[in-house]
Amino acid sequence: MESAARRADAAFGPAAPVPPLAAEPDEVGQRRFRDAMGLFPTGVTLLTTRAPDGLDHGMTANSVTSVSLDPLLLLVCVEHASRLHTALLASGLWAISVLPAHAEPLSRRLARRGHSTSEALAAVPHHRGPRTGALLLDDALSTVECRTWATHPGGDHTVVIGEVIALATPRPDLSPLAWHRGRYTGLAGD
């Protein structure tokens, strides 16, 4: 019986040798971690929820990723200090709007602590998601509505996994807003 390693060698060529560990690893700290992770470009989204008291909450989020196709799951990481954190956990229903490049000013405003979501969105065309009641941007590349499926502690954040209950692609033709090296950017070729 052929081993998995031998089949992988046949398909991809032999594995590269693993380099030895450095005698003294680089010092790891928050700044270095942020700098290292900043080299990984991410999309930028608006995360929204409607609290049980009817108040809307939203924030810029780039720690968003798909998790599973069966069931359809998505995750977002929300800082404990965020006002949205308590509202999202209480509501259990939330949404993501994938931001177009021209939404950078809105993203900046919603990334600031203490902002008013309703004031920030006053001049931005939006509507309520039919399944969650969360605010969705009319010109988002895509929107995803979720029901909280699980939560997990993640240091100073909570990892919230949502079951996808509705989605739309209102403006897939627009260029996405991206975050790379600690700043907003476009994508090469756009």
Side-chain angles (χ1 to χ4, degrees):
M1 179 184 231
E2 188 177 29
S3 73
R6 194 173 301 226
R7 285 192 307 272
D9 282 353
F12 303 108
V18 177
L21 292 175
E24 292 186 34
D26 290 339
E27 184 179 330
V28 176
Q30 288 184 3
R31 179 77 259 159
R32 288 198 43 125
F33 180 69
R34 288 174 67 108
D35 290 346
M37 293 310 300
L39 297 174
F40 179 62
T42 62
V44 183
T45 70
L46 171 62
L47 169 63
T48 56
T49 192
R50 189 172 194 188
D53 64 4
L55 191 60
D56 291 306
H57 294 272
M59 69 175 219
T60 299
N62 71 333
S63 56
V64 176
T65 191
S66 61
V67 174
S68 169
L69 292 175
D70 187 17
L72 295 175
L73 300 175
L74 175 143
L75 76 73
V76 63
C77 299
V78 183
E79 185 179 19
H80 296 157
S82 165
R83 287 181 294 161
L84 183 126
H85 183 269
T86 301
L88 187 143
L89 294 182
S91 166
L93 297 171
W94 45 279
I96 296 288
S97 294
V98 178
L99 296 180
H102 70 263
E104 180 181 335
L106 175 65
S107 177
R108 286 182 183 281
R109 185 166 183 185
L110 290 168
R112 286 190 216 118
R113 292 192 188 279
H115 69 265
S116 164
T117 300
S118 56
E119 286 177 18
L121 294 177
V124 178
H126 61 278
H127 61 282
R128 293 209 177 272
R131 301 291 304 276
T132 61
L135 297 178
L136 299 171
L137 298 184
D138 291 356
D139 66 348
L141 279 72
S142 62
T143 60
V144 183
E145 293 184 82
C146 295
R147 175 185 306 115
T148 299
W149 192 73
T151 60
H152 302 282
D156 58 2
H157 284 61
T158 297
V159 179
V160 182
I161 300 175
E163 176 186 18
V164 176
I165 56 176
L167 56 86
T169 54
R171 293 299 309 269
D173 55 312
L174 296 177
S175 294
L177 183 59
W179 183 257
H180 182 240
R181 294 183 180 248
R183 61 184 169 269
Y184 291 99
T185 186
L187 297 180
D190 280 351

